[in-house]
Amino acid sequence: MDEQEEVKVKNPWHRPVLIFLTVFIILGIVIMVSISVVQNKPLPKKYKYGIVLDAGSSHTSVFIYEWPAEKENNTGMVRQIHTCNVKGKGISSYNANPDGAGKSLQECMVEAKQKIPAYRHSETPVYLGATAGMRLLKMEDETASEKVLASVEHSLKTYPFSYQGARIISGQEEGAFGWITVNYLNQNLNKPTGTLGALDLGGASTQITFIPQQEIESGDNSIDFRLYGNDYHLYTHSFLCYGKDQALKLSLSKKLVSAHAASKTDPIEVRDPCFHPGYNFTRTVQSIFDTPCMKAVNISSGIISHVGFGDWSQCQQSIRKVFNTSRCAYSKCSFNEVFQPSVYGKFGAFSAFFFVMDFLNLTSDSLAITKQKLEKYCSTPWKKIVENYPLVKEKYLSEYCFSGTYILTLLEDGYNFTSENWQDISFLKKIKGSDAGWTLGYMLNLTNMIPAEAPDTRLMPYGGYVTFMIFFTLFIFVLFLLACLYFRQSTRKAQKGII
Ligand SMILES: Nc1nc2c(ncn2[C@@H]2O[C@H](COP(=O)(O)OP(=O)(O)OP(=O)(O)O)[C@@H](O)[C@H]2O)c(=O)[nH]1
Ligand SMILES: [Ca+2]
């Protein structure tokens, strides 16, 4: 009995200090584990948003962009999460009914409200940039263009976003921001890699932008940027009236003028090699001349009979007439006396360059094959084309022969691409999910999201730095203990030896 009591008394777990210490240690472990679980739980990423409306000549598109809130100055972080095509034509078509321009944006802006989390609405910037359609309207009727801009401004201010302005952007801006977009999305801007030239074909204008190898001889075509610590010296030009819809009108007007001189029929028959054999459509003369891109001509008949005969090489001859290459006051020109250095490097060709070449399945062939295929396509009877593509809008369908030939002629005779560098052109619509176009570059610039200088980077992230320092300190401490132990052992051995 006494012995048993003695064992009980000697059991160390019955000592209060030890019990207290054990509970304390367990509690400590629980607290540490809980803190580490909470601390290391992946945080929900916070995003910011921006809206840009591309008010083009043919239609308006609304783009919504998203980027991680804490990484906004890094290249490639902004991505397009949604796009909405406004129903109907571009805002410049509302010249006679300006209120309609603002109203037309309603559906897409309501969609934007649903796509962006409500708590971000008030800090989400909205920009509207209008391009060639509004440039032409401003030339024709400045008051009407101001009314249209006032109408879209009034409409955009009714939404809970942060309205930042609606304006007509210049051709240089359109070209330069398109170039920034493609190079930002390809993450070319903070690396020593080459950049991609940008080719944009709209309905009313077309832009070419690239870094040339030679000096830029005209100030209007030069634009300088400092992005992420690199200096960029760009060549850019925007040809107003050379988008594919205006170019069609230009080309058709020339055919109409010569048909009018020769023909005695009413309506005048305009025979067109750029439209398929069997194509026959009645147009008004007004629909061809309703643009400041051409001087009005005095044509007696109000309507024309537009008849196709599908001959590619004659089509190309007729399109060449819209490019004036007879004079150049510089060492080199593209056309219409505009300076252009030799094209250099790889190019991304988007908007109608892509729609058309993709439809015609001509995005990856050599120049010679491209011409052969196009020749065959243009000579295909209109009836057969309609049968082959029952789902494609007839207006688009009828114009692909003209548009394909226009693209080829613009690139080869206008910009001076050759069979050697033809395959440096990539026809593209999107890059990593975001549309190629000027809108993203425009927003990045206005939100200061591309810094002039590359941000200074630390050797390692803060968390990594703390972990490294803790482990390294422990490692040194263990080495120190081992050294002490070794020192004690060796001094003991030495003392024993002495004894
Ligand atoms: N085939 C085809 N054509 C299209 C499509 N979308 C637009 N287009 C046409 O392609 C041309 C260029 O379109 P966009 O790039 O949107 O032109 P835009 O921005 O309205 O015109 P700009 O103000 O000159 O830039 C226009 O003639 C459009 O009608 C499409 O999906 N398929
Ligand atoms: Ca455009």
Side-chain angles (χ1 to χ4, degrees), residues 56-59 131-133 174 201-205 244-245 351-352 355 396 400:
S57 64
S58 64
H59 77 289
T131 52
E174 196 178 359
L201 178 60
S205 77
K244 83 174 181 63
D245 302 331
S351 313
F355 306 139
Y396 282 158
Y400 281 120

Side-chain angles (χ1 to χ4, degrees), residues 402-415:
F402 168 82
S403 306
T405 314
Y406 177 65
I407 286 174
L408 234 71
T409 317
L410 173 65
L411 294 175
E412 199 183 8
D413 298 313
Y415 297 156

Side-chain angles (χ1 to χ4, degrees), residues 54-61 85 90 130-135 174 200-207 239-246 350-356 359 392-393 395-397 399-400 403 429 438:
D54 173 355
S57 64
S58 64
H59 77 289
T60 302
S61 294
N85 289 325
T131 52
M134 286 296 285
R135 277 177 220 139
E174 196 178 359
D200 183 353
L201 178 60
S205 77
T206 186
Q207 288 71 238
F239 287 93
L240 189 60
C241 300
Y242 285 80
K244 83 174 181 63
D245 302 331
Q246 290 297 326
F350 43 89
S351 313
F353 280 120
F354 176 83
F355 306 139
V356 173
F359 173 85
V392 181
K393 270 203 262 179
K395 180 180 149 35
Y396 282 158
L397 202 53
E399 292 177 5
Y400 281 120
S403 306
K429 177 170 166 57
W438 59 267

